[in-house]
Amino acid sequence: MSVPFNNPLPIPVLGFCAYSGTGKTTLLKKLIPELNRRGLRLAVVKHAHHNFDVDIPGKDSYEMRKAGARQMLVASHVRWALMTEDPVEDAPELPHLLAQIEADKVDIVLVEGFKKLALPKVELHRAAHGKPFIHPHDEHIQAIACCDDTELPSDLRRLDINDVGQIADFVIEYANNWRPSTPSLPLAPECGCELDTSKTLSVRQGIDKILSYVTPVSATEEVAIDDSTDRVLAQDAISPVDVPQHTNSAMDGFAFAYSDPMLDSYTLVGDVMAGHSYQGTLNLGEAVRIMTGAPMPDGADTVQMKEMAEDSGDSVRFQGNIRLGQHVRQAGEDIAKEQTALSAGHRLKAAHQGMLASLGFGKLPVYRRPKVAVFSTGDEVCQPGEPLKPNCIYDSNRFTIKSMVKQLGCEVIDLGILEDNESALVDALQGAAQQADVVISSGGVSVGDADFIKLALAKVGQINFWRINMRPGRPLAFGQIGDSLFFGLPGNPVAVMVSFMQFVQPALRKLAGELEWAPTLVPAIADCTLRSRTGRTEFTRGVYHLGADGRLHVTSTGAQGSGMLSSMVKGNCLIVIAEKDEQLNVGDTVYIQPFADLL
Ligand code: AMP
Ligand code: MG
């Protein structure tokens, strides 16, 4: 009986279903203030079966709509309403309706009605009504709220229909556990079937193999919060305080004790500025002028903003509808005392540092920095700053690699440019592995390259030479020298950067103790034709921007030679053309991987 449902919003949607007469609206009218009191911001979508109207004949908005405006938006400083004439034959489409909700303004959408949709729901049931159950025919029922004496299948979550607090607990638990469904990403599928799996790997296979060799560092140290940028937190930071510390006003206005109905006028008994507090307890009928951030006086639970009040010196009158608890920030609503404010495994950036500082942390336990040795190979490769020898090129790879390594909070050991000579290389590799957790070289790993690099690597450790089905960056060497990991990146400068982003970055993040990192991949609309080959992942350098249509668009940086570092400079993302795609046309959706994580 159920019709599929795709939630278009980045927030949870939970339905309440029941036969009419069960008291759905009565319950929601009690549940909504209870959830508000607990800090959950709500939107409600209600299905009305009849030809309802929210406007009144004679109002301008009503008359203009009746005159033929298909959409009528009426707005004041407190509220706006959009009325749309959208006659459809059956029920309106819930995903379309949900798309109208402003997901940044609310935490969850409660839906009344739309019983037939495959939407997660709570069933409400009162045995006294003699109506059948809904859950035997609807696998999307998450819980049933009924009376004490109702018999239910034992595995269904049971709630007391007369206990609003318990139903609110369930909604909050549901919202906290909810996760948006992730679209299938272009890097996800294991290709492999048609390939020689010993040496030729898909990007995903390469990443998985590499990560299976990485053991995170365990040593920790304490650093001042100032020195913690890009370090990884080694222990959960437990908040020693409530944030905010006191229940306080979110507006400049008036604090008072809510009553229903509200009183006509309130006697003003004081002023509370930020950093001060009101000594004494407010009685019903009394109010204080209060500034944003100032603690709520005892006895007060609600704030009205000053723009919606008439202050006549000794007393104040309020305009508009007032909700219990409005414009009040509860003590601990951001972070509660004794709660984990930030769990171990987070890389510390400005926002983390600010939050931990706000809790009073002066020092933080972090994992030691991984040590990364970097060198270049090739007789043609010269040190920048020195005269260029004939037929030679300047070393750029060591500089892009070192910069990205530092960006990931690692310590760099620069081994310079190594001579194309086997015994020198063996010495250098063994020395590097003794000092570093990871050794990274560039050049000399392609088929037909001077063999001494491969010979040297074979002497010092176990190294695999892979062909990755990607462009740029097809050759990749990976293995172990002693206890260190070794990455032999390609020689071409763009290939080096792309291979680093795809393979070295996840390894260094895992090594550094970072948990749950995944590359940022976002969909964008192609503004140019993009070519690839089936079975190969193409990383085209692109520029993304926000289009006039409010969507992300991307275009290639132009010529894509794997030596052309200018394409990395011009670009702000990699356009990831999946293995399954051969050609993408203008208007197609592609995934992009912004550089911002690393460059
Ligand atoms: P290879 O894989 O060693 O044959 O190198 C492929 C290409 O990358 C050649 O054109 C090299 O000159 C170039 N290359 C190798 N190492 C570097 C480096 N450190 N900096 C810039 N280009 C390099
Ligand atoms: Mg070379």
Side-chain angles (χ1 to χ4, degrees), residues 211-490:
L211 288 180
S212 73
Y213 282 87
V214 180
T215 310
V217 297
S218 54
T220 63
E221 57 184 318
E222 284 237 313
V223 295
I225 197 156
D226 252 341
D227 301 325
S228 67
T229 307
D230 287 324
R231 304 298 298 270
V232 178
L233 191 65
Q235 272 169 30
D236 292 353
I238 308 293
S239 178
V241 290
D242 272 330
V243 181
Q245 217 151 358
H246 305 284
T247 298
N248 67 80
S249 176
M251 291 276 181
D252 289 349
F254 301 86
F256 58 95
Y258 178 85
S259 62
D260 187 10
M262 290 283 297
L263 309 182
D264 278 348
S265 148
Y266 290 75
T267 309
L268 281 168
V269 296
D271 295 70
V272 203
M273 313 303 263
H276 296 266
S277 65
Y278 179 76
Q279 308 300 324
T281 303
L282 284 196
N283 297 309
L284 181 63
E286 293 177 340
V288 293
R289 286 186 200 88
I290 194 162
M291 305 299 279
T292 306
M296 291 289 283
D298 288 342
D301 53 18
T302 304
V303 166
Q304 177 65 315
M305 60 173 123
K306 80 174 189 241
E307 293 80 356
M308 294 288 289
E310 258 171 76
D311 182 344
S312 46
D314 298 334
S315 66
V316 62
R317 299 166 79 89
F318 299 139
Q319 300 146 6
N321 283 338
I322 291 179
R323 257 186 317 105
L324 171 62
Q326 72 177 23
H327 309 319
V328 176
R329 306 169 182 147
Q330 298 296 327
E333 77 174 19
D334 184 10
I335 302 160
K337 188 172 171 175
E338 306 297 326
Q339 245 186 15
T340 302
L342 192 68
S343 54
H346 276 91
R347 189 172 285 276
L348 302 173
K349 299 270 183 186
H352 309 99
Q353 288 167 311
M355 183 182 71
L356 295 174
S358 80
L359 303 179
F361 287 99
K363 289 180 170 177
L364 296 168
V366 294
Y367 291 110
R368 77 163 172 84
R369 292 177 192 276
K371 291 192 181 114
V372 181
V374 185
F375 66 91
S376 300
T377 64
D379 280 343
E380 79 282 23
V381 179
C382 292
Q383 173 70 21
E386 287 174 9
L388 191 62
K389 287 177 245 151
N391 308 317
C392 286
I393 54 159
Y394 282 124
D395 184 0
S396 60
N397 293 343
R398 210 158 27 100
F399 300 91
T400 53
I401 295 171
K402 286 195 294 178
S403 177
M404 292 187 285
V405 165
K406 284 184 202 154
Q407 193 70 33
L408 292 171
C410 301
E411 199 179 298
V412 171
I413 303 168
D414 187 341
L415 300 179
I417 304 162
L418 297 191
E419 256 178 83
D420 274 354
N421 144 351
E422 193 183 318
S423 71
L425 210 54
V426 167
D427 288 349
L429 284 168
Q430 277 169 337
Q434 271 164 18
Q435 306 172 58
D437 301 291
V438 175
V439 180
I440 305 176
S441 73
S442 66
V445 293
S446 323
V447 181
D449 258 319
D451 276 347
F452 52 86
I453 294 186
K454 290 173 191 168
L455 291 174
L457 286 170
K459 283 203 174 143
V460 296
Q462 290 86 45
I463 313 291
N464 303 295
F465 290 85
W466 293 334
R467 284 188 299 272
I468 308 283
N469 271 310
M470 65 187 267
R471 196 174 71 172
R474 191 165 129 94
L476 180 70
F478 173 74
Q480 286 166 305
I481 305 173
D483 291 334
S484 307
L485 297 177
F486 172 79
F487 287 89
L489 302 182

Side-chain angles (χ1 to χ4, degrees), residues 115-178:
K115 195 160 65 191
K116 292 201 174 132
L117 283 188
L119 166 78
K121 307 177 203 91
V122 177
E123 174 176 358
L124 308 182
H125 181 86
R126 282 190 195 276
H129 278 87
K131 293 276 169 44
F133 285 119
I134 300 171
H135 62 265
H137 312 285
D138 188 341
E139 60 186 359
H140 302 283
I141 304 282
Q142 309 287 309
I144 177 161
C146 57
C147 302
D148 270 353
D149 49 359
T150 308
E151 278 192 31
L152 289 179
S154 58
D155 55 341
L156 193 62
R157 175 76 176 266
R158 176 182 196 120
L159 303 168
D160 181 348
I161 195 166
N162 297 314
D163 185 345
V164 171
Q166 199 190 82
I167 301 174
D169 287 343
F170 174 80
V171 174
I172 288 175
E173 184 189 314
Y174 178 81
N176 287 342
N177 291 335
W178 181 85

